[in-house]
Amino acid sequence: MVTRVPPRSHGERRGFALVAVLLTLSALGLLVSGLIYISAEELSIARSSEELFRTRLAAESVIRSALASWRTDEHRDLPIGSVEEVTVGEPGAEAVVETTLAIERLDASRYLLRAMATSPSGVRSAAAAVVRTIDPLELWRALPAAVTTTGPVEIWSEDALVGFSPSSADTGGAVPCQAAIESMTAAFSDARRPPVHKLAEDAAEMLRLGPLDLAGLRALADRIESGAGALRSIPGDAACATGTYCAGQYPLIYAPDGLGIEGGTGRGILAVAGDLSLAGDAVFHGVVLVHGRLTLTGQARILGAVLVVGPSAAVSVTGAARVEYDPCAVAAALEGGRITNSAYHPGDRSWLPAF
Amino acid sequence: MAWVRVNRAAWGSLRNRPGVTLAELLVVLTLTGVLGTITMTTIIGAQRHVRQHIDRVAGAEARRVTASVLAAELRYLDPTTDIYGRAVDSVALRAYRGVAIVCVGDLGTVLVRYRGLRAPEPAKDSVVMVGGWAEVAGGQGGGAVHAGLVSPIVASGEVRSGCDIRAGESLYRWTLNDVTPPGTLLLVFERGSYHLQDGALRYRRGDAGRQPLTAELLDDRVAALQWAATGGVGSDGSSPGADPLAGVAIVLATRPTPAGTAPLPRGTRNWIRLPNGGLW
């Protein structure tokens, strides 16, 4: 006889499969969660590195951009010790990294640039640099007379050299004439009548304008000229052709092998490594630097100041030619040109740690 | 006993059941074994992956910290004056900790606007003067700034008034041994050295011991500082000659773990240009 055991209901059945599956799934879930967490950490590290790099690059870019577009005359009125906040980037443009630039004037010729870049997640980097500028007063001191030279001076008439001839055509100029006269007075701290002729104080016989030697002048030159020809006015600036002071460019013209000018009108700073001759009706407004002989003939005129030095330095002004010391023209050439508006390497270090 | 009786009854019923008990048992055991093996293999594999990720993240963090610390310390140094010594695995340097601008003072006691990582400490800090062309820089301050001159901070104390300060700045009264006219820029530094040794980046201030800044996960056989001069790139980290330094490459790798859990040691090479090593 077979006794049948009644089957158990599902609720009474015993087993461990469900528990085992749940435990396994839990363990796997924990491991997956751990992997996700660790991956998130890794992503966070990578993102942090990227943002740090990006903000650092942005901060340095702001400094470099400021250096590239630097014009000292935009900051010359900043009092020493004061800070100017500069807007960086296009107005309204959506920036991935927010940047700010602060310019602090340390003294007469040095500025501290400090840039801060902040990423959307709050990562910040700073960069700082010191900019050296050239104060026009430094350059004025090399130009104390109508003609300053280490060589002999030959003139045919008393009117050939004029000691003080401020221009009356100062309206619209880059530098008001009265301010130019004040600058000149500050540079020499003497009367408003500089001498017509002065022996150059630099016995080294090397042509220098402030801290700049010939190589420095060449590096900064707006135009390189050579040979013979007429002075060219600046295109699109018709008023400059007449010799009046324009609120435009005052170029630094460099001639590496001497120069002959037979007419025309020019302005700015003319630096010649060699002999310079002006003839005909040539007129130059500004500063003329010659490392050799300077010869003026015919109706040629220089309105400004002349510095002639070098082993073969000599000045010859003949005929109706003249050199007139014009502080307005000198100031316009010095303050309106590239030399006094550029940013220079400060000498020892330029980039600084920023905090 | 009661349970014996119950078991006897159950045993009797089982014994009377028709079926293939041994075959069932074998099947169950086989399936359990297969499932268990698969499960354990999966779990062990996942654990290994987790450990690999942990090692990888820790190694990446060590490399990131090393690169960022060295980059921050080296980036704006003047290689000619700020680096005392350098080798493949170490560099002795001026570790800059703050910047100050003199707002009042000349010789002796000065007031400075200070901004830095920490408060200046006379016991270990000195300042280097950033001068530029001295005769001009000192022109309006009534004295000359000696560019590059190093002076210890004899005394330092925070004050409340005397100069206007800006956000992030503090005002300090310092006693210095040298002339410092207003507008003088002072960089505050301590002497220190960084070492890539014993599997970690270590910092040593003055004569103190080397303190690890990272976990000991770096591979000493790979970790190197490759110094490059403006005239050429030194690949072996040796002194590149008389040319000014142009930069340094920081080569790092995570060392393989003893158990071999990490698949491959990862390496990085970060190039840091030193903008003060040449012209703009």
Side-chain angles (χ1 to χ4, degrees):
Chain A
M1 180 178 172
V2 175
T3 304
R4 293 189 178 276
V5 177
R8 290 181 178 175
S9 66
H10 286 292
E12 294 173 331
R13 289 180 65 182
R14 293 177 183 173
F16 65 95
L18 181 60
V19 176
V21 167
L22 287 176
L23 284 175
T24 305
L25 286 177
S26 300
L28 288 173
L30 282 174
L31 288 172
V32 170
S33 301
L35 279 175
I36 292 172
Y37 173 76
I38 292 166
S39 298
E41 285 286 302
E42 195 169 19
L43 181 65
S44 173
I45 291 171
R47 188 170 292 164
S48 173
S49 299
E50 181 199 353
E51 290 201 2
L52 185 64
F53 178 74
R54 182 179 291 179
T55 54
R56 190 175 292 165
L57 200 62
E60 286 194 10
S61 297
V62 168
I63 297 284
R64 290 184 187 279
S65 174
L67 291 174
S69 59
W70 179 267
R71 277 198 65 89
T72 307
D73 54 6
E74 294 175 357
H75 312 288
R76 198 167 275 140
D77 293 336
L78 191 66
I80 292 174
S82 298
V83 177
E84 177 185 3
E85 300 285 343
V86 179
T87 304
V88 181
E90 294 288 329
E94 186 176 349
V96 177
V97 176
E98 184 181 337
T99 53
T100 59
L101 174 66
I103 299 173
E104 177 171 0
R105 188 168 192 182
L106 296 174
D107 54 35
S109 62
R110 292 184 312 146
Y111 296 81
L112 173 64
L113 277 59
R114 189 169 185 279
M116 178 68 73
T118 309
S119 75
S121 62
V123 176
R124 305 177 75 185
S125 289
V130 176
V131 168
R132 205 279 197 197
T133 62
I134 293 178
D135 189 356
L137 286 181
E138 291 180 68
L139 309 183
W140 268 102
R141 295 188 182 106
L143 308 164
V147 173
T148 307
T149 182
T150 54
V153 176
E154 176 193 13
I155 55 174
W156 279 15
S157 72
E158 292 181 354
D159 297 334
L161 301 181
V162 181
F164 186 65
S165 177
S167 170
S168 59
D170 60 337
T171 53
V175 181
C177 205
Q178 186 58 39
I181 294 171
E182 290 172 3
S183 294
M184 178 195 72
T185 306
F188 306 120
S189 50
D190 57 11
R192 293 154 54 112
R193 293 285 183 273
V196 296
H197 171 213
K198 190 174 172 69
L199 187 66
E201 295 173 354
D202 187 357
E205 294 191 341
M206 286 302 297
L207 184 65
R208 296 187 68 87
L209 183 62
L212 299 172
D213 58 9
L214 277 173
L217 291 168
R218 177 170 189 151
L220 288 170
D222 297 292
R223 290 192 347 222
I224 303 290
E225 299 281 359
S226 62
L231 286 167
R232 290 174 289 163
S233 60
I234 295 170
D237 195 356
C240 295
T242 65
T244 56
Y245 302 108
C246 309
Q249 298 175 337
Y250 291 84
L252 169 58
I253 306 165
Y254 185 82
D257 304 312
L259 193 63
I261 297 173
E262 297 160 356
T265 302
R267 63 177 180 175
I269 298 175
L270 175 60
V272 181
D275 296 340
L276 170 66
S277 65
L278 276 81
D281 60 350
V283 180
F284 192 84
H285 301 259
V287 175
V288 175
L289 311 169
V290 181
H291 190 243
R293 286 183 59 87
L294 171 65
T295 304
L296 274 76
T297 57
Q299 305 288 323
R301 286 193 301 156
I302 294 175
L303 306 175
V306 172
L307 174 64
V308 183
V309 297
S312 59
V315 177
S316 173
V317 184
T318 60
R322 284 194 300 171
V323 176
E324 301 178 16
Y325 190 85
D326 184 348
C328 308
V330 172
L334 295 182
E335 298 184 26
R338 176 180 288 193
I339 291 179
T340 54
N341 284 304
S342 296
Y344 296 90
H345 195 285
D348 51 353
R349 74 176 76 214
S350 55
W351 291 88
L352 305 176
F355 301 95
Chain B
M1 292 194 310
W3 67 274
V4 173
R5 283 197 300 273
V6 170
N7 281 347
R8 278 181 180 171
W11 174 249
S13 64
L14 283 173
R15 194 177 55 182
N16 294 330
R17 279 181 63 189
V20 282
T21 305
L22 182 58
E24 280 182 357
L25 183 61
L26 287 175
V27 168
V28 167
L29 285 176
T30 303
L31 288 176
T32 304
V34 170
L35 288 175
T37 303
I38 293 172
T39 305
M40 290 307 295
T41 304
T42 307
I43 291 175
I44 290 170
Q47 280 181 328
R48 189 168 63 244
H49 277 294
V50 169
R51 278 199 298 271
Q52 286 177 359
H53 271 279
I54 290 173
D55 291 343
R56 190 179 299 172
V57 168
E61 180 67 3
R63 293 198 310 271
R64 187 191 70 83
V65 170
T66 301
S68 62
V69 167
L70 288 178
E73 291 283 22
L74 293 171
R75 175 71 172 153
Y76 300 115
L77 295 185
D78 181 349
T80 57
T81 58
D82 293 340
I83 296 179
Y84 302 124
R86 53 192 161 91
V88 179
D89 61 350
S90 62
V91 56
L93 44 72
R94 288 174 180 165
Y96 287 106
R97 297 294 176 252
V99 175
I101 298 174
V102 177
C103 53
V104 175
D106 195 347
L107 177 62
T109 303
V110 295
L111 284 182
V112 298
R113 292 163 30 217
Y114 177 78
R115 183 195 299 266
L117 296 177
R118 56 166 173 75
E121 298 179 33
K124 58 184 181 184
D125 288 339
S126 300
V127 295
V128 59
M129 300 183 190
V130 180
W133 292 331
E135 74 280 4
V136 177
Q140 293 206 359
V145 175
H146 303 287
L149 186 69
V150 174
S151 175
I153 300 177
V154 179
S156 172
E158 189 165 6
V159 294
R160 297 286 181 189
S161 61
C163 293
D164 293 332
I165 59 173
R166 299 179 181 86
E169 293 180 342
S170 303
L171 195 61
Y172 280 88
R173 176 175 282 112
W174 284 353
T175 302
L176 302 173
N177 290 333
D178 295 287
V179 175
T180 47
T184 303
L185 201 56
L186 304 170
L187 301 179
V188 179
F189 71 93
E190 62 183 26
R191 289 182 71 124
S193 58
Y194 284 92
H195 305 261
L196 285 170
Q197 288 173 351
D198 299 329
L201 174 68
R202 299 168 191 276
Y203 179 64
R204 179 182 188 183
R205 187 181 65 77
D207 297 327
R210 296 172 187 166
Q211 301 300 319
L213 303 179
T214 66
E216 295 180 353
L217 295 171
L218 302 178
D219 191 345
D220 289 335
R221 297 168 301 175
V222 179
L225 301 174
Q226 296 178 347
W227 303 95
T230 52
V233 177
S235 59
D236 58 352
S238 59
S239 181
D243 289 335
L245 275 178
V248 57
I250 303 170
V251 182
L252 300 171
T254 308
R255 65 183 175 195
T257 55
T261 52
L264 280 175
R266 290 193 170 188
T268 51
R269 187 175 192 275
N270 296 82
W271 168 251
I272 301 171
R273 200 173 80 82
L274 306 180
N276 284 321
L279 299 176
W280 284 342

